[in-house]
Amino acid sequence: MSHNQPQNKERILIKGAYLMTQDNKLGNFVGDVLVADGRIVEVGRDLSDDRARVVEGTGNAVLPGFIDTHRHNWQGALRNLGPAWTYEEYRSNVQIGLGQHFEPRDVHVGNLAADLMSLDSGVTTVRDESHISNSPEHSDAAIAAHWESGIRAVFDHGWPSTEAEQWQFGSNRTHPADIRRIRNEVLSDDSARVTLNAMLRGPELSTPDVSAQDIRLARELGLRISMHVGLGEWGADQQAIRQLAETGLLASDMTFIHCCTSTDEELRMLAAHGATASVAGALEVFMPGLGQPATNRLLAAGVRPSLSVDTETIVSGDMFGVMRATLAYQQLILAGAAGPMDRIADLPTFDAADLLSFATIEGARAAGIDNRTGSLTAGKEADLIMIRLDHANLLPATNVAATIVAGGHAGNVDMVVVAGDVLKENGVLKAADTVFDEAAASRDRLFHAAGLPLPA
Ligand SMILES: [Zn+2]
């Protein structure tokens, strides 16, 4: 299959950077990274290579690209609409109000807009939770955008946004059968830059029988599974993780998103079965109705979580904001202002260095691609970012992890490499600049189709 995609794999030697490898054997040190044929060839000190283009890294930090383990990319043209929306407002405005009017071209440009802002802010892998499967063409359009943008994408095929209310909260419809076609004809290669997973509703958003059928389908197709659980009071009542454990369906191929109101016992079940978790720390503190980030409770259960953006309609799509918001909620716990599920005395804490590992290697583990990406390790695919530390907002840089987490933003991301393709360099994203004009036109068309006024 041929794809319209970046193909500028260079031989690059990054010299003298502060390497935050996220590889436990290597740790952090000032050194060099050699990239060739799309892979990391060597990570060490005083490397030389006659054929490589040398990139001066002195004074900069180099780390594996950020991995966002849960974003609804199709909403990229609707970004920043409702920072003060409640969960119900988000559902009625976006999933129910606008989602049913999406045409494939809207999915395409939304996904492209989401991918490009992700790359610009140092996200090299996104797990696209695509609950916009209104037709096969919608899914194909989403996947095409990932090939075009150059990002590494795990495409999690979900349910439609047409008849949205029939597809959630007790739905008796089984997962759309089109996932078989996508698996067999579109995304059959698990070593490609774009791969397939299944975004399932599970027992919390469908029925136990439907959930079991969907899980069996995903496993028959050899697909990992993501599932939204622990959503507000509904999630606390349903206890989806416990249901899965009791029916023998809970396994290490599952990533549980949010877990805000999952019980501590459920989180221990998740850990015992080797499953993984995705904390959307910014979205969860911004949007009333879901519950609070479960980061510290997950750590107490023995799970190092990954991090995710969720919906750009409410929060910024960069991982700097996600890391800061996730930390902000921990600090509220420490200040005695925790939500009802957090008890300070029992909870382990995390720091800036932990957050960087959640946003990189733990994301790769959650997406099941840690053999390919997530750390600066020889043999892995070359997904890395360089962050300038000599910008006014970061100087004087002291502890580098703290500097990046407390002060970093997309403008500090100087270089972005995915699978050896240089997609941003010298602070400039290499991308078609008409995408955002098309995104604005898509937004206008969608609001018109839904009979809604553009928010003033
Ligand atoms: Zn979500």
Side-chain angles (χ1 to χ4, degrees):
M1 187 181 288
S2 70
H3 298 285
N4 175 11
Q5 57 181 300
Q7 279 294 350
N8 58 343
K9 295 189 195 307
E10 288 185 74
R11 195 172 181 90
I12 303 166
L13 179 60
I14 301 174
K15 293 284 291 179
Y18 184 68
L19 306 180
M20 310 177 84
T21 67
Q22 309 303 322
D23 179 323
N24 285 338
K25 294 198 191 88
L26 298 176
N28 298 343
F29 64 100
V30 175
D32 312 333
V33 181
L34 178 62
V35 169
D37 299 324
R39 291 190 181 273
I40 296 169
V41 176
E42 205 172 350
V43 180
R45 293 183 176 83
D46 301 319
L47 304 183
S48 61
D49 186 283
D50 292 343
R51 291 176 293 154
R53 176 164 74 91
V54 173
V55 173
E56 181 54 57
T58 304
N60 300 333
V62 170
L63 52 159
F66 295 126
I67 297 178
D68 173 4
T69 53
H70 148 232
R71 180 184 316 222
H72 306 296
N73 287 49
W74 59 274
Q75 300 165 357
L78 306 175
R79 61 170 53 120
N80 305 327
L81 283 178
W85 276 345
T86 63
Y87 181 45
E88 280 313 313
E89 285 173 311
Y90 163 71
R91 262 180 58 75
S92 66
N93 287 326
V94 179
Q95 287 190 311
I96 297 170
L98 294 167
Q100 61 184 306
H101 297 289
F102 266 66
E103 297 174 14
R105 58 181 171 161
D106 300 305
V107 179
H108 181 256
V109 75
N111 269 44
L112 261 184
D115 283 5
L116 294 182
M117 88 73 63
S118 299
L119 290 166
D120 191 49
S121 61
V123 175
T124 54
T125 299
V126 68
R127 194 170 188 176
D128 176 11
E129 296 285 309
S130 192
H131 49 3
I132 190 72
S133 305
N134 300 6
S135 78
E137 291 74 25
H138 286 70
S139 301
D140 289 346
I143 294 165
H146 294 318
W147 287 118
E148 288 168 34
S149 72
I151 205 165
R152 186 178 303 285
V154 179
F155 177 77
D156 279 48
H157 180 266
W159 56 92
S161 279
T162 46
E163 302 176 290
E165 293 180 273
Q166 273 72 56
W167 281 96
Q168 291 191 48
F169 300 106
S171 171
N172 57 11
R173 299 182 178 187
T174 53
H175 193 88
D178 189 47
I179 195 170
R180 284 185 185 278
R181 177 192 66 89
I182 297 173
R183 181 54 163 164
N184 294 330
E185 299 175 21
V186 184
L187 294 176
S188 55
D189 180 359
D190 291 332
S191 68
R193 179 164 55 74
V194 184
T195 53
L196 182 64
N197 280 183
M199 176 196 188
L200 301 185
R201 295 156 299 160
E204 186 165 327
L205 297 180
S206 64
T207 66
D209 279 353
V210 166
S211 173
Q213 284 184 60
D214 289 352
I215 291 166
R216 279 195 291 272
L217 172 63
R219 289 179 177 155
E220 175 203 324
L221 297 175
L223 302 176
R224 293 177 64 87
I225 294 163
S226 60
M227 199 178 283
H228 285 55
V229 301
L231 310 173
E233 291 176 13
W234 178 264
D237 289 343
Q238 299 294 316
Q239 296 200 17
I241 297 172
R242 181 184 55 75
Q243 287 194 50
L244 293 169
E246 288 175 356
T247 50
L249 293 166
L250 181 59
S252 62
D253 58 359
M254 293 173 155
T255 300
F256 292 96
I257 293 165
H258 294 306
C259 307
C260 296
T261 56
S262 302
T263 65
D264 291 346
E265 183 191 16
E266 287 186 280
L267 301 185
R268 288 192 291 272
M269 291 170 171
L270 185 165
H273 288 80
T276 51
S278 175
V279 170
L283 187 281
E284 291 157 8
V285 301
F286 270 78
M287 189 169 77
L290 279 188
Q292 286 76 40
T295 325
N296 301 81
R297 294 196 302 119
L298 283 160
L299 289 172
V303 178
R304 288 180 70 77
S306 66
L307 297 179
S308 59
V309 166
D310 195 339
T311 173
E312 285 187 66
T313 62
I314 292 174
V315 295
S316 173
D318 70 85
M319 297 298 274
F320 300 100
V322 174
M323 290 191 288
R324 280 195 281 274
T326 305
L327 181 58
Y329 180 65
Q330 168 178 276
Q331 302 311 97
L332 280 175
I333 299 175
L334 295 174
M341 304 195 76
D342 296 296
R343 293 178 308 280
I344 183 173
D346 306 339
L347 295 176
T349 57
F350 55 89
D351 62 14
D354 290 315
L355 283 162
L356 289 178
S357 79
F358 299 163
T360 55
I361 185 63
E362 297 306 338
R365 290 198 177 108
I369 53 174
D370 52 307
N371 59 335
R372 302 177 64 194
T373 188
S375 64
L376 302 180
T377 303
K380 285 195 181 182
E381 297 192 43
D383 298 351
L384 58 86
I385 60 176
M386 185 158 75
I387 296 178
R388 291 193 71 109
L389 301 174
D390 62 352
H391 286 173
N393 64 311
L394 300 181
L395 285 172
T398 309
N399 177 285
V400 179
T403 295
I404 292 170
V405 169
H409 60 59
N412 305 128
V413 177
D414 189 67
M415 186 177 200
V416 176
V417 180
V418 178
D421 289 323
V422 179
L423 302 179
K424 183 179 184 182
E425 189 160 20
N426 300 319
V428 178
L429 186 67
K430 302 175 181 176
D433 55 9
T434 59
V435 169
F436 294 101
D437 293 337
E438 293 167 26
S442 167
R443 174 203 59 195
D444 293 351
R445 192 163 63 236
L446 288 163
F447 272 84
H448 184 259
L452 296 170
L454 273 179

